[in-house]
Amino acid sequence: MIYQIYPRSFADSDGDGIGDLPGIRARLPYLRRLGVDAVWISPFYPSPMADAGYDVSDYRDVEPIFGRLADADALVAEAHELGIRVIIDLVPNHTSDEHEWFRAALAAAPGSRERARYLFREGRGTHGEIPPNDWISNFGGAAWTRVPAPDRTGQWYLHLFDAKQPDLDWTNPEVVEEFESILRFWLDRGVDGFRIDVAHGLAKDPEMPDLHGEWATGGPAVEGHPHWDRDEVHEVYRGWRRVADAYAGDRVFVGEVWVQTPKRLARYLRDDELHTAFNFTYLLASWDAESLRTAIDDSIDALSAVGAPATWVLSNHDVVRHVTRYGGDRSGHDAPDQGTRRARAAALLTLALPGGVYVYQGEELGLPEVVDLPAEVRQDPAFLRTAGADGMRDGCRVPIPWSGDAPPFGFGPGPGQPWLPQPAGWAALTVEKQLADPSSMLALYRSALELRHDRPELGDGTMAWIDTDGEVLAFRRDPGFVCVVNVGSDPVPPPDAVRDGALLLSSDPLEPDGSLPGATSAWYSV
Ligand code: GLC
Ligand code: MG
């Protein structure tokens, strides 16, 4: 299981209200006891924080808010001592506009070597006042910004995200070389791999044709799209694979690849490309047996065709937390019954599937989305660029409640409040409270992860569905493990396949006759 750390919101060592690398180091024993095999840490590089660090101004250092390069080295070393591998986040689609390359590009003339690292184009209209094409930023508004005054050349630059995130030109060999060198910089420091941000976005159609509203904006793309999931991008990953393979040990890439189908996803996972990718088909599936089963089957089929292991993910720093997605109390303040029950059942389903599992920090505490953050504390550029019409992402980034009865819940050393306010109701969800409660979400994750380590059937391998009716999913992992999920709301007896089996764990207590109540999963040894 790979645990995603969002560093701003995980643990704060110095009381400035923002999580940091020493904070993570101090909590490594917690992660080890939870049973994580690896951590993926969202970006901690120097950044003006226009997109919470996904706007990188120097790929070879650590943002002072988060610590120093020596803290990153210490974090890697200490994690390794505890048997935890470290995956860092690489952002290759764009840099910050404060990166030295972009500053140099602005200072240089059109047509210069400096501008050729990015995607500068002339505008349309008599005075070049109309953007070069109709592409739209993922965060809302045009994907082009005209070079700001005092520069008078009037060119525009492309940014598929915020205006402070100019896109690089991946047809430029200098860009290719620079990123291979950045990979080596971190591989030399001992990291075990990279999560690749927007891995489906690097290549753009050089003709830059208008979208004409023909393609869905944002989101996963269909074949032939001018800036998502283009074939040229695969050459980049072949090069990276050669770099990583030259290092001792297993160094891995996991791609953030938002594409239309598991088949398109599998193309990123061919032998000489990335090792794994997030499976957003599963994350996007709704809570019903049919759509979960289809998402699971389609993922396994497509990935086994290229010999890549499946991965499963329910939440991350960009989506509404699944307790809430599954129907939790929208206020986020009270224990959300339906959403939490389903999230517990989903945890056992996910951890029983063949392949790797990603857990987003706080998911093991059953944290809901915080849906009522006041506008003035929100920082998501998607919120800011759409005047609040979009940008749910701050609500899943609220700092972790560790202990105590009032905010900041032990997030930092003193009474200082974190960068986003925590709901008072999270007093019931702190790590401290949940460690003392055998029926807590945390206790469920710990038990499940312990079994996942002990049982030879779990993790990589194969699965076989067991025939069931209605809103029930059941599958076997050989030689002797069965997972049953009652996705519906009425109790159902377990299938015959587990009649003589022993119950190992259930997401909520079973009925006295062994039936599974609604929204309940159970693991059996058979
Ligand atoms: C990825 C990140 C997201 C970021 C975007 C731009 O989707 O997960 O947080 O805003 O890329 O870098
Ligand atoms: Mg701090």
Side-chain angles (χ1 to χ4, degrees):
M1 184 272 272
I2 301 152
Y3 185 93
Q4 181 190 355
I5 295 178
Y6 194 69
R8 300 179 76 71
S9 304
F10 187 62
D12 175 23
S13 71
D14 57 2
D16 64 355
I18 301 177
D20 43 48
L21 299 188
I24 300 173
R25 287 168 60 193
R27 300 293 183 178
L28 286 172
Y30 165 77
L31 295 176
R32 185 191 158 102
R33 277 201 302 274
L34 176 61
V36 320
D37 302 306
V39 289
W40 148 37
I41 310 174
S42 282
F44 49 72
Y45 315 102
S47 165
M49 299 288 161
D51 185 18
Y54 284 94
D55 48 322
V56 180
S57 53
D58 179 356
Y59 291 85
R60 295 183 181 81
D61 204 349
V62 169
E63 162 63 35
I65 293 173
F66 294 142
R68 292 170 306 132
L69 197 51
D71 292 310
D73 292 339
L75 174 55
V76 171
E78 289 165 14
H80 285 171
E81 272 165 35
L82 294 175
I84 298 173
R85 307 175 74 206
V86 179
I87 294 172
I88 62 171
D89 209 314
L90 188 72
V91 188
N93 181 65
H94 43 264
T95 69
S96 162
D97 65 337
E98 296 181 31
H99 189 283
E100 63 172 24
W101 270 13
F102 195 73
R103 290 181 198 271
L106 288 186
S112 58
R113 172 182 172 188
E114 287 80 6
R115 289 216 171 170
R117 296 163 178 152
Y118 294 90
L119 293 158
F120 284 88
R121 294 289 183 276
E122 301 301 327
R124 294 179 293 185
T126 341
H127 308 288
E129 73 281 10
I130 303 171
N133 68 23
D134 67 358
W135 294 4
I136 293 165
S137 157
N138 242 34
F139 293 157
W144 296 92
T145 290
R146 202 166 192 188
V147 172
D151 181 290
R152 298 279 170 219
T153 61
Q155 279 197 314
W156 298 71
Y157 66 89
L158 178 74
H159 52 87
L160 291 181
F161 294 88
D162 193 72
K164 287 182 68 64
Q165 295 168 296
D167 281 50
L168 289 161
D169 184 348
W170 275 90
T171 65
N172 184 336
E174 216 190 325
V175 172
V176 175
E177 269 162 41
E178 172 67 359
F179 273 83
E180 293 190 355
S181 146
I182 292 165
L183 290 177
R184 289 193 192 92
F185 176 87
W186 289 102
L187 289 167
D188 287 341
R189 305 192 93 82
V191 306
D192 300 286
F194 301 88
R195 176 262 188 189
I196 316 299
D197 190 62
V198 199
H200 55 301
L202 274 45
K204 279 92 186 174
D205 184 339
E207 303 294 319
M208 299 222 165
D210 278 330
L211 293 168
H212 292 302
E214 196 181 324
W215 310 97
T217 56
V222 291
E223 262 170 80
H225 194 285
H227 64 65
W228 294 137
D229 191 24
R230 294 185 60 78
D231 289 346
E232 305 88 286
V233 80
H234 296 283
E235 209 39 57
V236 174
Y237 302 130
R238 294 196 179 100
W240 291 9
R241 183 62 178 257
R242 286 191 290 273
V243 171
D245 282 350
Y247 280 79
D250 290 331
R251 314 289 180 120
V252 297
F253 294 110
V254 50
E256 184 209 20
V257 186
W258 289 96
V259 290
Q260 192 114 58
T261 60
K263 274 215 171 70
R264 295 293 296 180
L265 185 72
R267 294 162 53 88
Y268 290 74
L269 307 177
R270 291 175 285 197
D271 267 356
D272 55 348
E273 298 192 41
L274 307 180
H275 301 80
T276 57
F278 297 108
N279 183 357
F280 295 119
T281 303
Y282 182 67
L283 182 151
L284 295 170
S286 56
W287 184 254
D288 65 82
E290 177 61 26
S291 71
L292 288 167
R293 193 197 318 258
T294 307
I296 293 167
D297 280 343
D298 288 357
S299 305
I300 290 176
D301 286 354
L303 298 178
S304 63
V306 290
T311 64
W312 311 101
V313 54
L314 292 168
S315 280
N316 66 34
H317 66 292
D318 291 328
V319 300
V320 173
R321 282 190 177 274
H322 60 272
V323 160
T324 302
R325 274 200 335 260
Y326 290 152
D329 172 357
R330 299 291 298 182
S331 76
H333 291 281
D334 307 311
D337 189 49
Q338 167 173 280
T340 299
R341 281 191 73 94
R342 289 178 173 178
R344 295 174 67 92
L348 292 198
L349 166 61
T350 307
L351 290 167
L353 291 171
V357 173
Y358 284 83
V359 168
Y360 175 49
Q361 67 180 38
E363 157 181 345
E364 79 280 20
L365 305 177
L367 297 185
E369 182 83 2
V370 179
V371 295
D372 56 358
L373 288 169
E376 63 275 13
V377 304
R378 289 185 178 260
Q379 299 198 10
D380 183 359
F383 183 83
L384 306 174
R385 283 179 66 87
T386 59
D390 195 5
M392 289 293 292
R393 299 188 307 170
D394 288 309
C396 63
R397 299 174 178 179
V398 172
I400 297 296
W402 291 95
S403 58
D405 291 313
F409 297 120
F411 174 67
Q417 292 303 310
W419 69 282
L420 282 175
Q422 301 154 307
W426 282 14
L429 297 176
T430 61
V431 170
E432 184 183 44
K433 286 253 167 54
Q434 297 203 35
L435 283 176
D437 174 4
S439 73
S440 67
M441 185 74 89
L442 181 56
L444 179 70
Y445 269 81
R446 285 172 60 147
S447 306
L449 287 164
E450 211 177 298
L451 283 165
R452 195 173 145 93
H453 279 127
D454 292 350
R455 300 284 311 198
E457 296 97 340
L458 295 182
D460 284 340
T462 56
M463 66 180 277
W465 292 111
I466 295 167
D467 278 341
T468 47
D469 296 324
E471 286 298 291
V472 180
L473 298 174
F475 56 93
R476 165 188 273 282
R477 305 283 319 265
D478 282 338
F481 179 95
V482 169
C483 174
V484 181
V485 187
N486 180 2
V487 185
S489 40
D490 299 324
V492 291
D496 289 341
V498 305
R499 278 283 145 76
D500 302 320
L503 180 69
L504 295 169
L505 184 65
S506 62
S507 60
D508 274 295
L510 302 188
E511 307 278 347
D513 71 349
S515 292
L516 285 83
T520 302
S521 295
W523 286 3
Y524 303 87
S525 175
V526 296

